[in-house]
Amino acid sequence: MDPLGSVIVETGRCIFSFFFTSIATVIKLQHNTGRLRKEFEKLEDRKNGIEEDVRLAETEGKCATEQVKGWIRKVEEIEQKVQPMLEKADRLAVQGCGPCCNILPRYRLCRRMAKKQLEVQQLISSCCFDNVVTDKKSPVRAVEKQQGPSLAGQREAEEMIEKLMELLKGDENKRIAVWGMGGVGKTTLVRNLNNELESSSLMESIDIVIWITVSKDLDLKKVQSQIAKRLNLELDPNEVIEERAKMLLKRLMMKKFLLILDDVWEHIDLDIVGVPQTDDQANRKILLTTRSLDVCRAMMTDEEIKLDVLKQEAAWNLFAQNAGDVVEVPSINPLARAVAKECGGLPLALKTVGKSMRNKRRIELWKHALHHLQHSDPHVKHIEDEVYRRLKLSYDSLPSKILQSCFLFCSLYPENYSIRTDELIQSWIADRLINEHQPLEDCFNDGIALIETLKDSCLLEQGDCAGTVKLHDVVRDVAIWISTKQGSEKPCASILFTNITKPPKQFSGFSELTVILLVGNPINKIHDNLFAGLRKLRVLNLSQSHIVTLPPSLSQLQELRALLLRDCCYLEKLPSLGALRKLLVMDLSGTRLRELPNGTSKLKKLQELHLSRTHHLETIEAYTISGLQSLELLDMSFSAYKWDTRCNVDYGKASFNEILTLDRLSIVKLRLDKVDSVTLDSAWLMKLREFNIQISPGSCDSNHLATQHDEKRAILRGVDLMGIKGLNGLLDTASALDLVICGGISALSELSISHRLSSLQSVKSLSISKCDCITSLISGDNISGTILPNLEHLSLNRLENLGAILGGMVPRKGCLKWLKTIEVVDCKKLRALISFALLQQVKNLEQIKVKNCSKMKYIIGGQVSAKMIPKLRVIELSDLPMLKTICSRLPAWPALEMIEVRNCPMLTKLPFATSNGVAATLKEIRGELQWWNRLIYSNDEIKSSLQQRFQPLKPLR
């Protein structure tokens, strides 16, 4: 072959080889690309599956093993290399295999792909793990111990913990609250409960106890995080609350739990948090602590347990424990006990003050501490920081400035002083804390709402008697401390003196003063200029002082809204009041005034006039009462003033007809000698919201029941019930009727006939005492229709000749059908309380009390069935020497909760036929131990069942 041919042939061979190699390389690259993509997709699938397993496990508090974490890292590394290769191969495939294509990059890419394919296959084959996940932390403990002082040995606290345990066991109590004032020991109590749960049988039905500290500034994410931490569950801090709640809900739905929410200040929406709220959650319970009963309501708790301050002995023990052995030193012990008493049984104060005095042996230091505590001054910074500031949180959390001002107002009263709620509301109205431009009833309702809110916040508590409130000593100290702190920010607006006999001659420099309280001070004289310059004074309260009169400067108090002189028992005369044109309330009850002050008729804005127990009041000038056209309340109960219309008109005195002209009048309390000379019209009485009208010839005795709110009470004392006239309107409208030392009738049903009354249908409460003529309450011989159809409460006291409550044939329908309580005392001839005939009528009876009836042999007569007494809850029997039986034995009592027996020696059997009948509702039997030991039982089961409910009574002294 010639040289040219050889060149051509060689060139052709090279070209062919090039094209062949190119085509082979492209084909191989496509093949390797497909293989790598297929294996890479398998790897991705494996990785995604493992990561999903890990994510699910993390919701259970677990995490990936180190081997899995390493494998995932390797996969992520190879992902970063393989993905670009596949993308490049796709681009080259699009370019095709033209003459200009570059074989070398394709060749290199093909070889790298082959190599990566092997690596991918190796990762796929190495992903068979024994364990994908492991526990992230140590296993979740059912109960985590809470740090805090132990309550072991403190009997009251141990009883409270036991009570909470019992409540948690019951299926009906899903939400329980422990509430009480700050520093009373709620957290300490529940911490001890938490710690005791670990060894409690309660944990058989609970997987986990979750303790959450909520605190004042509610943060729902923080609450979620605390729950998640307790469950070993990781929540993304950046994720929204709703997504976090889904994870919590999923986990908690698998658990039986007790969620303890400590220090709750406001409603927590547990649905938003992620806590299951299904109806069927007997094994999912919530226990919370709070200072506010309103929070309990908002959280819809099933049971609220109020934690009160410690009693004297327990308080001293806690104080001594913190103060050390120095309190037993004879010279220090009395001072130490006085210091402890100033803490008012509040554990927080007892511990803080006790620690501040620990092992201090100088008497001067104890005297110094006592002095400062008695004057509401925190003598050491610890007390201010640890007690006052913590209790101030309750004040800060009150929902309005008005409530805060109302609370601070209460601190003006002396320490441990029971404040009359009506007086407090009057003062709040006068001091513009309650809107005065509304009806009196609305003002009163506003005041009650404010009081109840303060009580629910544990800033006020029940006083020593009904209708009163008071501040806990330490809470009062905090209120004074708050007022002092605020004193630099605003003018002084009130002043309080205690135990002073001589007030200053003048309040110079106090022109901004709005309130003066001098309650209970032995002041007998007020200086002539005392009130000069007090042009902004709105409340003047000198109640229970020894003043005989007030100076003429009283007329300068032209902004005065409340003049309160209750029980100034030496007060005989007042200056003219005509200048006090803005006066809303005047209380002159219990004074020695003989005449109403001059100018009273000019008090056109006066809403309340209190003249009760004015036993010397003889003169009220004509047209004085009728001039008070804004008057809504007139209280002249037990006053000596005589309202005889004919006589008063002749002598220029106010007559009863003046009262009838007062269009706004809604509450009337007064005493009348007789009713034949006044008009007690039904229409007028019906317009009144409340009345207490006593008909008592020649007597202004105040020893009788007070009228309840919105009650219409008629009291007939020393009246001939058959002969008296003019009672129809009163008896037709009265909701409460009291008969005291009355005569003329042998049965109340005669009263209905003699005064042509339909049935005494308005009467809901009836009390009859010392009426010796009464032989039965209702006599069937003289009635044809129903009587007392709406009576709910019946009290019979010292009726010497009462032989039966029902006598003769009584209509079966209507009589006494709504009777709830019956109380009988000192009825010597009564042999049975409820006859079989009466039993047919009283199906709504709830409570029976019988005392000192010497011939009483049985309480309920005849063969009794459960259907006859379906609502009877309480039976109290005392001093019944002849009583042999309560009633025939019943297999079951539908509602009976408590029986109390005292000094009934012949009662040897209780009315239970079976132990099942005992167990149904009965909670307690009280009685003397000697009587209990003499009881006879039908069988041992009944005895055992009753024994569990017996509480011995202490002997009466």
Side-chain angles (χ1 to χ4, degrees), residues 856-883:
M856 180 80 67
K857 291 188 175 182
Y858 59 88
I859 302 301
I860 303 175
Q863 189 63 37
V864 182
S865 70
K867 292 181 180 180
M868 296 177 179
I869 46 173
K871 298 182 180 181
L872 186 61
R873 296 183 300 104
V874 175
I875 300 174
E876 294 183 23
L877 309 173
S878 177
D879 300 311
L880 307 175
M882 303 294 290
L883 184 69

Side-chain angles (χ1 to χ4, degrees), residues 450-468:
L450 291 167
I451 287 171
E452 289 303 310
T453 300
L454 291 173
K455 287 169 72 175
D456 291 349
S457 301
C458 294
L459 292 174
L460 266 184
E461 56 187 50
Q462 180 60 43
D464 294 334
C465 53
T468 65

Side-chain angles (χ1 to χ4, degrees), residues 765-817:
S765 173
L766 174 63
S767 173
I768 307 177
S769 59
K770 304 178 185 178
C771 299
D772 293 344
C773 60
I774 297 288
T775 59
S776 64
L777 180 68
I778 300 173
S779 174
D781 298 334
N782 48 32
I783 62 169
S784 56
T786 61
I787 187 169
L788 297 170
N790 295 305
L791 187 68
E792 295 179 5
H793 307 287
L794 174 63
S795 175
L796 305 174
N797 184 21
R798 296 180 66 179
L799 304 181
E800 295 290 336
N801 293 302
L802 182 70
I805 293 178
L806 290 188
M809 296 298 294
V810 177
R812 292 183 62 84
K813 293 184 179 180
C815 294
L816 305 176
K817 69 175 182 179

Side-chain angles (χ1 to χ4, degrees), residues 914-931:
T914 67
S915 59
N916 291 335
V918 174
T921 59
L922 191 66
K923 297 177 180 178
E924 190 175 25
I925 298 178
R926 302 175 192 162
E928 299 140 318
L929 192 59
Q930 187 178 8
W931 164 78

